[in-house]
């Protein structure tokens, strides 16, 4: 049915159907974010030998995040007098929309994928860059010193780590010969890229944490120095959308990591392929999310100067070296 | 592959973009806007090249390669332009072109 | 005996002087002046030698030299012809006379240059460079080479006027530069057109090619085009000569330049214009020249009258002489326009005679100015008492200039008018008014100076001294010589005239 | 034709996602407007500055380092523009492309070393 | 593509480029790792050595037949060789100037950067001169331009240097975009970026609509390139940039960069438009049809350059306008489009190289000693340094085009080519050229007036560095030598490059 839909001529009907499907995905993602936050808090509590949320929604605090969201919804909307009003309103939208757009290209299983774009990887990288713009806009529009500093830091950090991120996946592209995410998954039938490209994986993981603005790279909002960074002046739902964008990115990045390095929906051994791809995908996905949360609890925040130097002086050369190592090895294999 | 949109539409788009860019580059006072206008003109060129590479009289991949180079060069030019602008701003505290007049006789 | 290198040596011999000057310390005034003078001597000796060679009845073609110099577009595979330009020098009777005139006047001017008060070294270097240019102009057998030497005179003149001149020297230098630059620009266009159309720039060859209707040109030149080229030449040389509306620069130069340079300028450089008109205008475009003859005659008469009338009203003796030069150049034009042997011969005579006379007069003015710091007629009144010799020479020069029989001026004016009367009697009659005017203004000025009301006491003013006699007496001698025995000029001119007349079809 | 439709539909989906991405904040904020209180007080609208009265405009001049990092980013991001097609087509291009790209990257690494040595990469 | 294909290329023909590229890399590293106190003048010698060896390798390839490598994107033909030599020779002079450039506000901290940035720009010019493809041509052009922008703004703390660089970047960016837009149409109509393929395709062009588009493309390309030439209509940047940039950079812009501009002009115009049929196969080529418009621009360039130059008080500004005027003269040769065109352009560029470089050496020395660039500060220069003043005088005369100097022969050559056209000799254009030349006398002699006629404010003699002496000496010697015996250069041209017949092979 989906096949027919996709091959039919595009029109309003298609638009409607796609819209419904995308809304479903949106709800799923919102659900993920709701319980992702909860999970994060629970895991953090577990690791710090405390309970975490346990009041709202039973022992597990299952409705804690829901309550938080509702509270945000009821907060008074304040836009500072000196702020640049249009930009201030626009900034959360600019930050959020791309985070959702990138999901369109990610293949969750061989069936469950929205848009199969030929240059899916490039699409992801290109669209995700726009979010930075939202953050800088927010920081600028707030007309607050902390916000401005946070925005500027966000920009500097994200562009610095974008480079190693982009470079690290080059090894995978070299091996696959395609930018299509499906092709990349299929190319991992004989071995996940985490095994073939361990260096790339490490670089990618580090860079992605930085891109997500998560601890230990959460300098743009580092509450102890910048109060809350670029969104210091935001409140209520406007603020919520920055947060939402962050967590949707967590979702997307974890999914992308799964696709790129962990073989997506493919089972680790071909004998295990009686278990559906969706299960494999969510398993791997959960592991990545868990690792990211784990990072947050384990590492202290980086110093700003160390952060930038690490990105440019360590990650970038390593990523470049990895690319050429891969190319060289590939060439050597071809020769012999 | 025919997408139904005629090639001339792309060319017209490119031409319009180019003219907007040219207008901006020639009339704006703020140097940053001028630099952006120049980027606009270069992007118009890229649209042209890609269009021709797909719908030209004799389509070929050359146009897309050309686009890549044009992009790279545009980036380099923009970086240099910005670097010079920063250094100018540090000395002069202005980014307006019509205030750059210390050499008028 | 191979004499072909002689002209080259002559033309470039002043360079030796420049080289020698370069090694003399700036402060050694005497030695510099001596070296400067000696630098002009080889050219003088060689030119006199050439004259003697001619008098001995030998062929002047012995001196011709020709070597390939530049060729443009040497693409053999393209099958196009070379545009070769040769280094070719040579003289005939006409240019021989002018070369001798140049050498003589230059040497005398070098003596007169002892009046220069500062920076002798630079002065004499430029002076000698100027001489190279002048000698080159008269010996070049090739339009490009001619142009090269022609422009070579501009640069030293600019500096000599601008640095060593009087109060408004820079303005004078600039107007000299711009007018002559324009003239040479027009000339260059003519030369380039001829070169690209015919493939040669050799003057003799051009004469042949353009006067012969059957000649094979690379690209034909129509009659109208020839007329255009001739008019361009008329403008180019008209500026130099100068012809009436293009003359204002020359007044400034005559007034502002140092005396020795005015001697050269008025004596020789103006003559390049006449030389060019005769050589190229008449030689290369005889048909068109004939068509323009009346127009040229009118221009000549206008020049003659205009110069004469304005000379009459001048207070400054230099200005009188400057306008008189314009007036006298009118006679050259009149002679040329006559298009007969007498007229042309008169024009050429006038060229040489005026060269000598004006050199003499300007030399004397220079002397006055040096002693008395003025050249106003009213301030110089009664000079005969203070400087009897100089005043006498002035009177003699003036007489020569107004055409007193027995002096060179008479011969030339007489012949020029004789020529014109045959062809255009009305114009000639009008022109005669100019002759009368000449006598009037010259007498007014010279008598005013020599016997006029004394403005001041001329006590303690030195008359001519030592070396200053040399230029004055030499020039006077030559003036009288030509006046008494014109065939020193006419016999070398004979063959040249004949070929010109042949070109004119008569 | 099918291929074309597939292609167009894929981008239609991207467009749908864009619409949703914009729509969600709009709708949510609109709903919030119906629910949330509105009690303006002058003090609420002042900018936060550690509790003290904010003084002069906060849009101060950025440190030049930010721009330099931006320039570095542009350079290396453009490098990837060349590296991506190269990587995709590497199979077909072979060793020639490897060497060529090695030279290219070497030049850029030289740039990186240059920046490093010129202390551009040091923050503050 | 395999290793064998790679080795099959005759890489030797790229030797000069490789030498320059290697030197750039070497100098960058040296500059980075040597201590600050180390005198960077040594770099100049390294660069000169590289330039000379590149020059020798070009000379060594004079007999090499047309070679094209890398899928015809790089070609070594006579044109490439002839013009590369101009670029290399000009660069040696720039190096000499830069090594001796010591302005009052200091240059030594930038000197290291200067050398390799400059070499990078030169590399761009060299690539342009032997490119066989629009892409390489464009990349070469930008490789030339971008370092030039930086060079112009090299003195970071000097406001005028900053301003000049900014204006240069903006104008350069606009012109690049315009050129590229034109090129994109050419590509669209020809379907290839290879110059020879384009020429072949377009020569059979039939559609008049396409001719119309090509005409637009032609003008856009021409307008864009006129920026590099500093010719009308894109000359406005020149005065400000020339004035603000450090003097060696100004010298580079006025000679090497301009020469490179003519290289790209000839490459593009002659290959693309000379064979392009304007109205069906076999009809009049487009370039000939549009000749009058080029002539108009050439005339405008000459008039603007020479007339506005009259009003200048700053010597570098004056030379900016003078260089605009010279671009106009060379455009006259370009307009004439016959077999002398290459000759005339090449020779004029050679002559211009020497005379202008020598002049800039003197200007540099003067502005260093007086700390000012006003023309009136040349007053009494003759007293301070008589020989140098005389040499400068000769160079100015050569620039003005007086006979006996290379400038004159250059102009004569241009006249020849302007008059050679059988059907349509450019009399008007040549007349404008010569009239504006006369106008140029005024300002060139204005400098001479200051030097020789006016008294100096103070007359202590100037210490002249050896590099300046060498530059001026060579420049004067060459200006006179090529003025008196131009056939040294012309014969070299004719016998080694054979009329550039291989330009389109």
């Amino acid at each position: 049915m989906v096949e027919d839909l996709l091959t039919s001529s595009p029109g309003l009907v298609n638009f409607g159907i796609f819209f419904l499907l995308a809304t479903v995905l949106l709800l799923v993602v919102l659900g993920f974010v709701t319980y992702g936050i909860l999970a994060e808090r629970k895991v953090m509590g577990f690791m710090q030998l405390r309970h975490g949320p346990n009041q709202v929604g039973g022992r597990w605090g299952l409705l804690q995040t829901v309550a938080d969201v509702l509270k945000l919804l009821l907060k008074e909307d304040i836009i500072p007098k000196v702020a640049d009003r249009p930009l201030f309103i626009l900034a959360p939208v600019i930050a959020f929309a791309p985070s959702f757009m990138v999901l369109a290209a990610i293949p969750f299983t061989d069936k469950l994928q929205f848009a199969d774009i030929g240059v899916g990887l490039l699409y992801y990288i290109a669209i995700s860059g726009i979010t930075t713009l939202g953050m800088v806009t927010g920081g600028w529009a707030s007309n607050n010193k902390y916000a401005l500093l946070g925005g500027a830091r966000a920009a500097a950090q994200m562009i610095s780590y974008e480079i190693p991120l982009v470079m690290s996946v080059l090894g995978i592209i070299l091996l696959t010969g395609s930018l299509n995410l499906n092709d990349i998954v299929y190319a991992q039938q004989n071995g996940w890229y985490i095994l073939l490209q361990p260096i790339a994986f490490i670089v990618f993981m580090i860079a992605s944490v930085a891109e997500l603005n998560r601890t230990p790279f959460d300098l743009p909002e580092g509450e102890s120095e910048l109060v809350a960074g670029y969104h210091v002046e935001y409140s209520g739902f406007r603020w919520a959308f920055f947060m939402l964008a962050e967590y949707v990115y967590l979702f997307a990045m974890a999914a992308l990591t799964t696709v790129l390095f962990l073989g997506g929906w493919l089972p680790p051994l071909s004998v295990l392929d009686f278990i559906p791809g969706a299960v494999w995908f969510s398993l791997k996905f959960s592991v990545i999310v868990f690792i990211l949360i784990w990072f947050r609890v384990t590492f202290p925040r980086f110093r700003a100067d160390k952060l930038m130097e690490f990105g440019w002086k360590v990650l970038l050369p390593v990523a470049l070296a990895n690319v050429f190592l891969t190319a060289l090895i590939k060439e050597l294999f071809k020769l012999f | 592959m025919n997408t139904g949109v005629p090639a001339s539409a792309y060319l017209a788009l490119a031409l319009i973009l180019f003219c907007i860019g040219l207008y901006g580059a020639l009339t704006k006072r703020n140097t940053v806007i001028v630099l952006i206008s120049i980027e606009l003109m270069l992007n118009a060129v890229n649209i042209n090249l890609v269009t021709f590479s797909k719908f030209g009289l004799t389509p070929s991949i050359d146009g897309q390669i050309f686009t890549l180079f044009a992009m790279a060069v545009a980036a380099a030019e923009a970086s240099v332009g910005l670097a010079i602008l920063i250094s100018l701003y540090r000395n002069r505290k202005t980014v307006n072109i019509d205030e750059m007049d210390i050499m008028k006789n | 005996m191979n004499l072909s290198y002689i002209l080259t040596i002559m033309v470039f011999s002043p360079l030796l002087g420049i080289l020698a000057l370069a090694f003399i310390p700036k402060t050694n005034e005497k030695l510099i002046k001596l070296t400067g003078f000696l630098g002009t001597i080889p050219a003088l000796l060689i030119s006199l030698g050439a004259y003697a060679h001619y008098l001995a009845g030998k062929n002047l073609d012995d001196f011709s030299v020709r070597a390939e110099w530049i060729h443009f577009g040497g693409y053999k595979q393209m099958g196009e012809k070379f545009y070769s330009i040769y280094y070719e020098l040579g003289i005939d009777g006409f240019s021989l006379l002018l070369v001798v005139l140049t050498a003589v006047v230059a040497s005398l001017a070098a003596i007169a240059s002892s009046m220069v008060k500062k920076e002798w070294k630079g002065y004499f270097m430029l002076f000698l460079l100027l001489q190279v240019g002048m000698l080159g102009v008269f010996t070049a057998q090739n339009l490009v080479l001619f142009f090269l030497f022609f422009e070579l005179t501009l640069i030293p003149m600019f500096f000599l006027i601008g640095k060593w001149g009087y109060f408004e020297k820079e303005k004078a230098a600039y107007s000299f530069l711009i007018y002559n630059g324009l003239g040479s620009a027009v000339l260059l266009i003519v030369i380039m057109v001829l070169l690209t159309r015919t493939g040669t720039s050799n003057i003799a060859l051009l004469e042949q090619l353009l006067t012969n209707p059957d000649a094979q040109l690379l690209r034909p030149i129509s009659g109208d085009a020839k007329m255009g080229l001739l008019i361009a030449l008329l403008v180019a040389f008209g500026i130099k000569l100068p012809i009436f509306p293009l003359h204002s620069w020359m007044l400034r130069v005559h007034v502002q330049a140092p005396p020795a340079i005015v001697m050269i300028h008025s004596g020789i450089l103006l003559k390049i214009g006449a030389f060019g008109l005769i050589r190229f205008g008449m030689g290369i475009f005889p048909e068109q020249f004939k068509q323009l003859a009346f127009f040229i005659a009118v221009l000549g008469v206008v020049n003659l009258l205009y110069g004469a009338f304005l000379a009459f009203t001048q207070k400054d003796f230099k200005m009188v002489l400057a306008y008189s030069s314009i007036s006298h150049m009118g006679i050259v034009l009149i002679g040329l326009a006559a298009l007969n042997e007498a007229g042309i011969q008169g024009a050429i005579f006038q060229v040489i005679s005026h060269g000598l006379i004006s050199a003499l007069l300007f030399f004397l003015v220079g002397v006055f100015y040096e002693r008395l710091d003025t050249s106003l007629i009213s301030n110089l009144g009664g000079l005969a008492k203070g400087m009897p010799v100089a005043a006498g020479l002035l009177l003699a020069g003036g007489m020569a200039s107004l055409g007193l029989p027995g002096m060179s001026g008479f011969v030339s004016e007489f012949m020029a008018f004789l020529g014109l009367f045959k062809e255009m009697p009305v114009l000639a009659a009008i022109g005669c008014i100019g002759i009368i005017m000449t006598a009037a203004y010259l007498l007014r000025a010279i008598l005013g100076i020599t016997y006029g009301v004394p403005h001041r006491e001329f006590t303690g003013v030195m008359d001519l001294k030592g070396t200053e006699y040399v230029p004055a007496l030499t020039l006077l001698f030559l003036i009288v010589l030509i006046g008494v025995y014109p065939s020193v000029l006419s016999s070398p001119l004979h063959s040249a005239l004949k070929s010109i007349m042949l070109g004119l079809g008569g | 034709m099918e291929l074309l439709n597939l292609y167009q539909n894929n981008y239609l989906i991207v467009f749908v996602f864009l619409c949703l991405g914009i729509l969600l904040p709009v709708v949510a904020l609109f709903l919030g407007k119906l629910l949330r209180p509105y009690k303006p007080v002058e003090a609420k609208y002042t900018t936060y500055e550690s509790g003290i009265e904010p003084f002069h405009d906060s849009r101060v001049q950025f440190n030049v380092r930010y721009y330099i990092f931006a320039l570095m980013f542009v350079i290396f991001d453009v490098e990837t523009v060349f590296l991506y097609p190269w990587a995709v087509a590497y199979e077909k291009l072979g060793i020639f492309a490897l060497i060529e790209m090695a030279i290219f990257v070497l030049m850029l690494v030289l740039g990186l070393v240059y920046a490093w040595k010129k202390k551009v990469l040091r923050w503050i | 593509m395999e290793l064998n294909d790679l080795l099959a290329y005759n890489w030797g023909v790229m030797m000069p480029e490789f030498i320059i590229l290697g030197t750039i890399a070497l100098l960058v590293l040296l500059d980075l790792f040597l201590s600050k106190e180390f005198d960077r003048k040594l770099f100049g010698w390294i660069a000169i050595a590289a330039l000379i060896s590149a020059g020798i390798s070009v000379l060594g390839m004079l007999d090499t037949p047309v070679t094209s490598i890398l899928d015809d994107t790089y070609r070594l033909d006579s044109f490439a060789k002839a013009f590369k030599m101009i670029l290399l020779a000009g660069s040696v002079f720039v190096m000499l100037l830069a090594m001796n450039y010591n302005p009052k506000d200091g240059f030594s901290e930038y000197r290291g950067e200067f050398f390799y940035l400059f070499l990078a720009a030169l590399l761009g010019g060299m690539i342009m001169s032997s490119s066989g493809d629009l892409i390489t041509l464009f990349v070469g052009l930008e490789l030339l331009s971008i370092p030039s922008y930086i060079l112009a703004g090299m003195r970071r703390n000097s406001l005028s240097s900053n301003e000049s660089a900014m204006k240069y970047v903006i104008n350069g960016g606009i012109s690049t975009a315009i050129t590229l837009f034109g090129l994109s149409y050419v590509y669209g109509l020809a379907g290839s970026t290879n110059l020879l393929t384009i020429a072949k395709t377009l020569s059979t062009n039939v559609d008049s609509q396409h001719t119309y588009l090509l005409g637009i493309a032609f003008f856009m390309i021409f307008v864009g390139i006129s920026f590099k030439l500093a010719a009308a209509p894109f000359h406005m940047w020149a005065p400000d940039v020339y004035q603000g940039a450090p003097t060696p950079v100004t010298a580079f812009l006025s000679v090497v960069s301009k020469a490179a501009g003519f290289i790209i002009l000839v490459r593009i115009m002659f290959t693309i438009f000379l064979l392009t049929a304007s109205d069906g196969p076999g009809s009049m080529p487009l370039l000939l049809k549009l000749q009058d418009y080029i002539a108009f621009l050439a005339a405008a360039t000459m008039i603007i350059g020479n007339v506005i130059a009259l009003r200048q008080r700053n010597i570098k500004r004056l030379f900016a306008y003078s260089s605009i005027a010279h671009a106009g003269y060379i455009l006259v040769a370009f307009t004439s489009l016959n077999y002398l065109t290459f000759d005339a352009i090449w020779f004029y560029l050679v002559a211009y190289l020497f005379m202008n470089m020598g002049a800039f050496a003197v200007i540099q020395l003067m502005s260093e000693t007086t700390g000012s660039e006003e023309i009136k500060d040349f007053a009494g220069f003759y007293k301070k340094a008589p020989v140098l003043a005389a040499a400068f005088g000769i160079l100015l005369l050569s620039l003005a085009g007086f006979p006996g100097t290379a400038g004159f022969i250059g102009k004569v050559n241009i006249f020849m080519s302007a008059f050679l056209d059988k059907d349509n000799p450019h009399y008007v254009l040549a007349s404008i050229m010569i009239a504006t030349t006369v106008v140029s006398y005024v300002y060139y002699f204005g400098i001479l007036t200051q030097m020789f006629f006016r008294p100096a404010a103070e007359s202590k003699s100037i210490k002249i560095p050896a590099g300046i002496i060498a530059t001026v000496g060579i420049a004067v010697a060459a200006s006179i030598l090529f003025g008196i015996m131009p056939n040294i250069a012309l014969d070299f041209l004719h016998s080694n490059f054979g009329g550039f017949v291989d330009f389109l092979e």
Side-chain angles (χ1 to χ4, degrees), chain E residues 156-180:
Chain E
R156 282 189 291 273
N157 299 322
S158 147
L159 191 53
S160 57
S161 183
N162 285 331
E163 269 191 23
S164 87
M166 197 69 243
K167 285 177 180 164
Y168 199 30
V169 171
I170 291 173
N171 280 296
I174 296 173
S175 76
T176 303
I178 295 176
T179 315
L180 259 185

Side-chain angles (χ1 to χ4, degrees), chain C residues 31 126 134 145 164 198 242 252 272 279 300 332 363 379 409 472:
Chain C
L31 189 56
L126 290 167
M134 293 185 300
L145 209 55
W164 286 274
T198 62
R252 282 210 190 97
I272 296 175
R279 257 290 141 80
V332 173
F363 170 69
N379 287 0

Side-chain angles (χ1 to χ4, degrees), chain A:
Chain A
M1 190 197 82
V2 182
E3 297 281 298
D4 297 341
L5 189 65
L6 280 174
T7 50
S8 68
S9 172
L12 270 180
V13 183
N14 285 19
F15 184 85
I17 297 169
F18 292 145
F19 196 87
L20 285 177
L21 291 173
T23 316
V24 172
L25 179 72
L26 181 62
L27 292 176
V28 172
V29 170
L30 289 178
F32 163 80
V33 171
T34 314
Y35 286 94
I37 293 174
L38 183 68
E40 185 170 21
R41 295 175 72 176
K42 284 309 257 188
V43 170
M44 280 168 69
F46 164 71
M47 288 183 173
Q48 292 164 349
L49 299 179
R50 53 186 177 83
H51 293 293
N54 57 3
Q55 298 295 317
V56 188
R59 242 186 98 208
W60 301 95
L62 284 175
L63 294 176
Q64 178 67 50
T65 324
V66 180
D68 285 347
V69 170
L70 287 175
K71 180 200 71 177
L72 284 174
L73 196 60
L74 294 173
K75 284 256 184 182
E76 186 178 351
D77 184 39
I78 291 172
I79 299 176
K81 216 168 41 220
V82 290
D84 186 329
R85 222 183 138 84
L87 285 183
F88 191 87
I89 294 170
L90 202 61
V93 183
I94 300 177
F96 171 73
S99 72
F100 185 61
M101 275 175 77
V102 295
L103 295 179
I106 291 174
F108 299 104
T109 71
D110 49 352
K111 297 274 176 345
L112 184 59
Q113 182 189 15
F114 285 85
D116 183 14
I117 298 171
V119 288
L121 189 51
L122 204 60
Y123 169 82
Y124 183 96
I125 291 165
I127 299 294
S128 67
I130 299 173
T131 298
T132 319
L133 209 59
M135 294 179 180
V136 178
T137 313
W140 169 262
S142 301
N143 203 355
N144 174 310
K145 295 185 182 84
Y146 295 113
L148 191 67
L149 213 51
R153 271 196 193 179
Q157 177 182 333
M158 292 190 77
I159 60 176
S160 292
Y161 279 81
E162 177 119 353
I163 305 286
L165 185 86
V166 169
M167 294 279 176
S168 63
V169 297
L170 266 171
I172 292 173
I173 302 168
L174 266 174
L175 293 179
T176 315
S178 165
L179 286 167
N180 187 311
L181 292 171
N182 281 321
D183 291 348
I184 290 175
V185 172
Y186 284 123
Q188 296 180 64
Q189 260 161 344
N190 298 323
W192 294 353
Y193 281 142
I194 188 173
L195 302 172
L196 297 176
Q197 291 280 318
I199 304 172
F201 177 70
I202 293 166
V203 174
F204 185 86
M205 263 321 261
I206 296 172
S208 64
V209 174
E211 284 288 288
L212 291 171
N213 282 338
R214 290 182 62 83
T215 333
F217 301 116
D218 58 345
L219 284 113
E221 33 191 311
E223 42 283 276
S224 42
E225 18 182 320
L226 289 178
V227 190
Y230 58 89
H231 51 60
V232 70
E233 289 293 348
Y234 280 88
S235 62
F237 241 58
R238 294 190 202 283
W239 177 81
F241 272 102
F242 278 119
M243 279 293 128
L244 186 60
E246 226 164 88
Y247 279 90
V248 174
Y249 267 122
L250 176 67
F251 179 89
M253 195 57 95
L256 185 71
T257 315
T258 311
V259 167
L260 288 180
F261 289 97
L262 300 179
W265 64 85
L266 295 175
L269 296 166
S270 49
V271 287
L272 293 173
D273 58 2
F274 59 91
I275 302 172
V279 175
W280 284 118
F281 188 91
S282 40
L283 267 178
K284 294 169 184 173
F285 172 83
S286 307
V287 171
I288 298 287
V289 173
F290 178 74
I291 291 174
L292 290 174
I293 295 170
W294 189 5
F295 274 10
R296 176 167 177 187
V297 187
T298 314
F299 292 111
R301 185 182 302 139
F302 257 61
R303 230 169 65 192
D305 56 337
K306 295 273 178 201
L307 171 96
M308 301 304 269
E309 282 182 35
F310 181 68
W312 286 103
K313 294 184 182 174
V314 179
L315 286 187
L316 175 59
V318 168
L320 273 175
N322 177 54
V323 173
F324 280 91
L325 200 65
T326 313
L328 208 63
I329 289 172
K330 194 171 173 180
E331 198 58 39
L332 286 176
F333 268 107
K334 219 161 56 178
L335 281 180
F336 308 111

Side-chain angles (χ1 to χ4, degrees), chain C residues 26 69-75 77-78 80-83 85 118-119 121-122 144 147-149 151-152 154-155 158-164 169-170 173-174 177-186 188-190 192-193 195-197 218-219, chain E residues 339-340 342-343 382-383 386 397 401-404 408-409 411-413 415-417 419-422 425 427 430-431 434-435 438-439 441-449 452-454 483-487 490-491 493-494 497-501:
Chain C
K26 270 200 267 209
W69 179 35
I70 313 174
H71 51 87
F72 293 108
Y75 297 130
Q77 70 272 42
M78 295 191 126
E80 291 271 359
K81 280 192 187 166
F82 273 28
Y83 289 95
I85 294 166
K118 57 172 186 182
E119 314 222 5
K121 190 169 163 179
V144 176
F147 183 78
L148 193 150
F149 287 118
E151 290 255 304
L152 195 57
L154 289 192
I155 302 157
F158 175 82
F159 284 105
L160 289 169
I161 300 168
K163 195 160 178 73
W164 286 274
K169 52 193 177 186
E170 282 185 19
Y174 265 103
L177 180 75
I178 297 306
Y179 271 95
N180 284 283
L182 271 176
S184 60
V186 176
L188 183 60
I189 291 183
V190 175
M192 292 319 296
V193 171
L195 178 59
T196 46
R197 290 295 180 96
L218 289 182
R219 254 149 253 165
Chain E
Y339 67 97
L340 267 185
F342 275 112
D343 251 26
Y382 172 64
K383 280 273 190 301
L397 292 178
F402 270 85
F408 173 68
I409 303 291
K411 282 195 177 123
V412 166
N413 226 339
F415 283 133
M416 296 276 298
S417 85
F419 286 156
L420 265 186
D421 205 317
K422 278 196 180 65
Y427 290 127
S431 307
I434 199 144
V438 175
V439 173
Y441 289 177
V442 177
Y443 58 84
Y444 288 127
F445 276 82
I447 305 174
L448 292 179
T449 310
F452 291 100
F453 298 170
R454 302 283 161 85
I484 294 174
M485 288 183 277
N487 270 81
L490 288 173
D491 283 344
L493 183 70
H494 297 156
F497 305 121
F500 301 101
V501 278

Side-chain angles (χ1 to χ4, degrees), chain E residues 288-337:
Chain E
L288 287 178
K289 213 170 177 184
L290 298 174
Q291 214 173 4
D292 288 347
Y293 299 97
I294 312 175
F296 174 75
L297 287 176
T301 308
M302 291 186 291
I303 293 171
I304 291 169
N306 278 318
V307 172
I308 304 184
L310 294 175
R311 290 178 37 209
Q312 301 309 315
R313 290 197 299 265
N314 182 298
I315 184 88
K316 276 158 89 180
R317 250 184 130 73
L318 177 94
F319 267 77
Y321 283 107
S322 133
S323 103
I324 293 173
H326 284 278
Y329 302 152
I330 307 179
L331 277 180
V332 173
F334 178 77
T335 314
S336 61
L337 295 177

